[in-house]
Amino acid sequence: MEAELRSLLLDIDAIKGSLPDVSQHDSIAKMEERIAKILSLSKAGISRRSKVKDMSAEVVDSNPYSRLMALQRMGIVENYERIRDFSVAIVGIGGVGSVAAEMLTRCGIGRLLLYDYDTVELANMNRLFFRPEQVGMTKTDAAVQTLSDINPDVILESYSLNITTVQGFEVFMDSLKRKIPNKNGQISSTTTGVNLVLSCVDNYEARMVVNQACNELNQTWMESGVSEDAVSGHIQLLVPGKQLVLHVPHPWLLHLE
Amino acid sequence: MEAELRSLLLDIDAIKGSLPDVSQHDSIAKMEERIAKILSLSKAGISRRSKVKDMSAEVVDSNPYSRLMALQRMGIVENYERIRDFSVAIVGIGGVGSVAAEMLTRCGIGRLLLYDYDTVELANMNRLFFRPEQVGMTKTDAAVQTLSDINPDVILESYSLNITTVQGFEVFMDSLKRKIPNKNGQISSTTTGVNLVLSCVDNYEARMVVNQACNELNQTWMESGVSEDAVSGHIQLLVPGKQLVLHVPHPWLLHLE
């Protein structure tokens, strides 16, 4: 919209030269003033907080990290600032994944990788996070829009793709492997570029694909699921080589029994 | 902003008559087109969904209630539409209260009464719900802004006041007592105008005030609390005359022991 308004200013300037009566330049000036006002109004709608270089523990209302750094002061978390060095991949930005992403963003996680192939629909509004004005956007784009406004310090990577396709799986694997240097320019010694994968998908195939990727990459991950009646759910931590590897029977097999 | 854009259109129309060369009318037409586009862009930013008269169980992406009405089809909830006849009062729109309000709004509750005296600060951003662009607004106003966009079917009442003051307590009591006719024009036979009070406050005094109000009004309520280290919490249902009346020792007394 800002670009359109700037083009309009140029149009008006072009007209100005063609006006025979110099006294009419006043009304042109009035129009230009009006456009400047519209420009400032359109900008007011997207006031984002500026980036914060270092997490501060100062107890003031304007510090977005004051309540989190308090956990360090109370001895609950030893070194809260380290959260900035962590990368988390979230597969499935639905009822579970979107809230996990929002919570991690508010906590000040360093980097989030978001995977989904779906778009936002009004039918999703019974769960937290997405808003009606985002209907039609891809879930990853809508998430990046909201999350980057909530906390511009988090590095967000959006992958609108289906990990159960051959091509999608390749991009998924490559993105997990890619290592980003931290603020001191160091590359972590972990096997992948992420510290944790959260599986927040809603179907058997995608769950098995996350399982396969994490086994291949020796990647620690968490599996989650919500029952269809929405009254129960499960979360499970999986560390390849330590915890048992996930093996969920296909729903079709369960049905046979 | 829309009004400003419409005035701009009138300005341009006035200029049009003064142009000596009729061929220049083309550029005026181009400018008018541009303004129309800016108008539609500015409207796109605030696209709210329209109100829904009756909850539909139709399984389509555009139905905001399809997933909730499914609970009825599955036999989990007998008559889901009845949620529209219920009023809930939420005292304290912080970490617990704001999420309770959002969840009830997404579920399509009939009416929400929101009480808080605080304003939104950046320090609140470690919890869900509020966004940085709402900093400085009262928590009840910010909540109404977000909730009414999420679900325009919910009747929202905002009370920015402190219930622990004499005056605040009076308004609190009056608002709980006030009965609103339902869509059939009937007044409910309950003792108050609300079906449930959720106490989501963060201090001893406010908790005791909610307790006092609900005892006086014979009002069912739920008490909640989060530990200071954010790793535990409690929820308790209180039905005056049935469950035990809440009696929490003052933290100062606990400290003495």
Side-chain angles (χ1 to χ4, degrees), chain A residues 131-156:
Chain A
R131 301 191 303 268
E133 68 263 29
Q134 294 176 320
V135 164
M137 292 177 79
T138 66
K139 285 187 175 172
T140 55
D141 281 354
V144 166
Q145 182 189 58
T146 299
L147 298 175
S148 60
D149 280 346
I150 289 174
N151 189 344
D153 299 333
V154 179
I155 299 166
L156 297 162

Short mmCIF file of all heavy atoms in Angstrom, two decimals, chain A residues 131-156:
data_model
loop_
_atom_site.label_atom_id
_atom_site.label_comp_id
_atom_site.label_asym_id
_atom_site.label_seq_id
_atom_site.Cartn_x
_atom_site.Cartn_y
_atom_site.Cartn_z
N ARG A 131 -6.03 -16.09 13.03
CA ARG A 131 -7.12 -15.13 13.13
C ARG A 131 -7.85 -15.05 11.79
O ARG A 131 -7.27 -15.30 10.74
CB ARG A 131 -6.55 -13.75 13.51
CG ARG A 131 -5.80 -13.77 14.86
CD ARG A 131 -5.48 -12.37 15.35
NE ARG A 131 -4.70 -11.61 14.38
CZ ARG A 131 -3.36 -11.57 14.35
NH1 ARG A 131 -2.65 -12.23 15.25
NH2 ARG A 131 -2.74 -10.85 13.45
N PRO A 132 -9.16 -14.70 11.82
CA PRO A 132 -9.96 -14.73 10.58
C PRO A 132 -9.36 -13.93 9.43
O PRO A 132 -9.52 -14.31 8.27
CB PRO A 132 -11.30 -14.15 11.02
CG PRO A 132 -11.38 -14.43 12.47
CD PRO A 132 -9.98 -14.33 12.99
N GLU A 133 -8.65 -12.83 9.73
CA GLU A 133 -8.10 -12.02 8.63
C GLU A 133 -6.96 -12.73 7.92
O GLU A 133 -6.48 -12.28 6.89
CB GLU A 133 -7.67 -10.63 9.12
CG GLU A 133 -6.46 -10.61 10.06
CD GLU A 133 -6.86 -10.56 11.52
OE1 GLU A 133 -7.95 -11.09 11.87
OE2 GLU A 133 -6.08 -10.02 12.32
N GLN A 134 -6.51 -13.88 8.45
CA GLN A 134 -5.43 -14.63 7.80
C GLN A 134 -5.95 -15.76 6.92
O GLN A 134 -5.14 -16.49 6.32
CB GLN A 134 -4.48 -15.19 8.87
CG GLN A 134 -3.74 -14.10 9.64
CD GLN A 134 -2.87 -14.62 10.76
OE1 GLN A 134 -3.28 -15.53 11.48
NE2 GLN A 134 -1.70 -14.04 10.93
N VAL A 135 -7.26 -15.89 6.82
CA VAL A 135 -7.85 -16.95 6.00
C VAL A 135 -7.33 -16.85 4.56
O VAL A 135 -7.30 -15.77 3.98
CB VAL A 135 -9.39 -16.88 6.04
CG1 VAL A 135 -10.01 -17.68 4.91
CG2 VAL A 135 -9.90 -17.37 7.39
N GLY A 136 -6.88 -17.97 4.01
CA GLY A 136 -6.37 -18.00 2.64
C GLY A 136 -4.85 -17.96 2.57
O GLY A 136 -4.26 -18.39 1.57
N MET A 137 -4.18 -17.45 3.61
CA MET A 137 -2.71 -17.43 3.63
C MET A 137 -2.22 -18.85 3.91
O MET A 137 -2.93 -19.65 4.52
CB MET A 137 -2.18 -16.53 4.75
CG MET A 137 -2.43 -15.06 4.57
SD MET A 137 -1.85 -14.11 6.02
CE MET A 137 -0.07 -14.06 5.68
N THR A 138 -0.99 -19.18 3.49
CA THR A 138 -0.43 -20.46 3.93
C THR A 138 -0.23 -20.36 5.44
O THR A 138 0.01 -19.27 5.98
CB THR A 138 0.93 -20.77 3.26
OG1 THR A 138 1.88 -19.81 3.71
CG2 THR A 138 0.82 -20.73 1.75
N LYS A 139 -0.33 -21.50 6.13
CA LYS A 139 -0.19 -21.47 7.59
C LYS A 139 1.20 -20.99 8.00
O LYS A 139 1.35 -20.30 9.01
CB LYS A 139 -0.47 -22.86 8.18
CG LYS A 139 -1.97 -23.16 8.19
CD LYS A 139 -2.29 -24.46 8.92
CE LYS A 139 -3.80 -24.62 9.00
NZ LYS A 139 -4.19 -25.95 9.52
N THR A 140 2.23 -21.33 7.21
CA THR A 140 3.58 -20.90 7.57
C THR A 140 3.73 -19.38 7.39
O THR A 140 4.31 -18.71 8.24
CB THR A 140 4.66 -21.64 6.74
OG1 THR A 140 4.38 -21.47 5.36
CG2 THR A 140 4.69 -23.12 7.08
N ASP A 141 3.16 -18.82 6.31
CA ASP A 141 3.24 -17.37 6.12
C ASP A 141 2.47 -16.62 7.20
O ASP A 141 2.94 -15.61 7.72
CB ASP A 141 2.66 -16.97 4.74
CG ASP A 141 3.63 -17.23 3.61
OD1 ASP A 141 4.79 -17.61 3.90
OD2 ASP A 141 3.24 -17.07 2.44
N ALA A 142 1.26 -17.12 7.53
CA ALA A 142 0.45 -16.47 8.57
C ALA A 142 1.20 -16.53 9.90
O ALA A 142 1.22 -15.55 10.66
CB ALA A 142 -0.90 -17.16 8.69
N ALA A 143 1.87 -17.66 10.17
CA ALA A 143 2.61 -17.81 11.42
C ALA A 143 3.78 -16.83 11.46
O ALA A 143 4.00 -16.14 12.46
CB ALA A 143 3.11 -19.24 11.58
N VAL A 144 4.52 -16.73 10.35
CA VAL A 144 5.66 -15.81 10.31
C VAL A 144 5.18 -14.38 10.52
O VAL A 144 5.80 -13.60 11.26
CB VAL A 144 6.44 -15.95 8.98
CG1 VAL A 144 7.41 -14.79 8.79
CG2 VAL A 144 7.19 -17.28 8.94
N GLN A 145 4.06 -14.02 9.92
CA GLN A 145 3.50 -12.67 10.07
C GLN A 145 3.25 -12.35 11.55
O GLN A 145 3.71 -11.34 12.07
CB GLN A 145 2.18 -12.59 9.28
CG GLN A 145 1.51 -11.24 9.30
CD GLN A 145 0.11 -11.29 8.68
OE1 GLN A 145 -0.76 -12.03 9.14
NE2 GLN A 145 -0.10 -10.51 7.65
N THR A 146 2.54 -13.26 12.23
CA THR A 146 2.19 -13.02 13.64
C THR A 146 3.42 -13.10 14.54
O THR A 146 3.64 -12.24 15.39
CB THR A 146 1.14 -14.03 14.10
OG1 THR A 146 -0.04 -13.88 13.30
CG2 THR A 146 0.76 -13.81 15.56
N LEU A 147 4.24 -14.13 14.35
CA LEU A 147 5.38 -14.36 15.24
C LEU A 147 6.43 -13.26 15.13
O LEU A 147 7.02 -12.85 16.13
CB LEU A 147 6.02 -15.73 14.95
CG LEU A 147 5.10 -16.94 15.17
CD1 LEU A 147 5.80 -18.22 14.73
CD2 LEU A 147 4.66 -17.04 16.63
N SER A 148 6.68 -12.76 13.90
CA SER A 148 7.71 -11.74 13.74
C SER A 148 7.27 -10.42 14.38
O SER A 148 8.10 -9.63 14.81
CB SER A 148 8.06 -11.53 12.27
OG SER A 148 6.92 -11.12 11.55
N ASP A 149 5.95 -10.19 14.45
CA ASP A 149 5.46 -9.00 15.16
C ASP A 149 5.58 -9.18 16.67
O ASP A 149 5.88 -8.24 17.39
CB ASP A 149 3.99 -8.73 14.81
CG ASP A 149 3.84 -8.02 13.47
OD1 ASP A 149 4.87 -7.51 12.96
OD2 ASP A 149 2.73 -7.98 12.93
N ILE A 150 5.34 -10.41 17.15
CA ILE A 150 5.40 -10.67 18.59
C ILE A 150 6.84 -10.55 19.08
O ILE A 150 7.11 -9.94 20.11
CB ILE A 150 4.84 -12.07 18.92
CG1 ILE A 150 3.32 -12.08 18.73
CG2 ILE A 150 5.21 -12.50 20.35
CD1 ILE A 150 2.68 -13.45 18.88
N ASN A 151 7.79 -11.12 18.36
CA ASN A 151 9.18 -11.08 18.78
C ASN A 151 10.13 -11.06 17.58
O ASN A 151 10.49 -12.10 17.04
CB ASN A 151 9.51 -12.28 19.67
CG ASN A 151 10.88 -12.15 20.30
OD1 ASN A 151 11.70 -11.33 19.86
ND2 ASN A 151 11.14 -12.94 21.33
N PRO A 152 10.54 -9.83 17.17
CA PRO A 152 11.40 -9.70 15.98
C PRO A 152 12.81 -10.26 16.20
O PRO A 152 13.59 -10.30 15.25
CB PRO A 152 11.43 -8.20 15.73
CG PRO A 152 11.05 -7.56 17.01
CD PRO A 152 10.17 -8.53 17.75
N ASP A 153 13.13 -10.71 17.42
CA ASP A 153 14.47 -11.26 17.67
C ASP A 153 14.62 -12.69 17.15
O ASP A 153 15.74 -13.17 16.97
CB ASP A 153 14.78 -11.27 19.18
CG ASP A 153 14.76 -9.87 19.77
OD1 ASP A 153 15.01 -8.92 19.01
OD2 ASP A 153 14.47 -9.74 20.97
N VAL A 154 13.51 -13.38 16.95
CA VAL A 154 13.55 -14.78 16.53
C VAL A 154 13.76 -14.89 15.02
O VAL A 154 13.10 -14.18 14.24
CB VAL A 154 12.24 -15.51 16.92
CG1 VAL A 154 12.26 -16.96 16.46
CG2 VAL A 154 12.01 -15.41 18.42
N ILE A 155 14.70 -15.75 14.60
CA ILE A 155 14.90 -16.00 13.17
C ILE A 155 13.86 -17.03 12.74
O ILE A 155 13.81 -18.13 13.30
CB ILE A 155 16.32 -16.52 12.89
CG1 ILE A 155 17.36 -15.47 13.32
CG2 ILE A 155 16.50 -16.87 11.41
CD1 ILE A 155 18.78 -16.00 13.40
N LEU A 156 13.02 -16.67 11.77
CA LEU A 156 11.92 -17.55 11.35
C LEU A 156 12.17 -18.05 9.94
O LEU A 156 12.45 -17.27 9.03
CB LEU A 156 10.60 -16.80 11.42
CG LEU A 156 10.18 -16.33 12.82
CD1 LEU A 156 9.13 -15.24 12.74
CD2 LEU A 156 9.67 -17.50 13.65
#
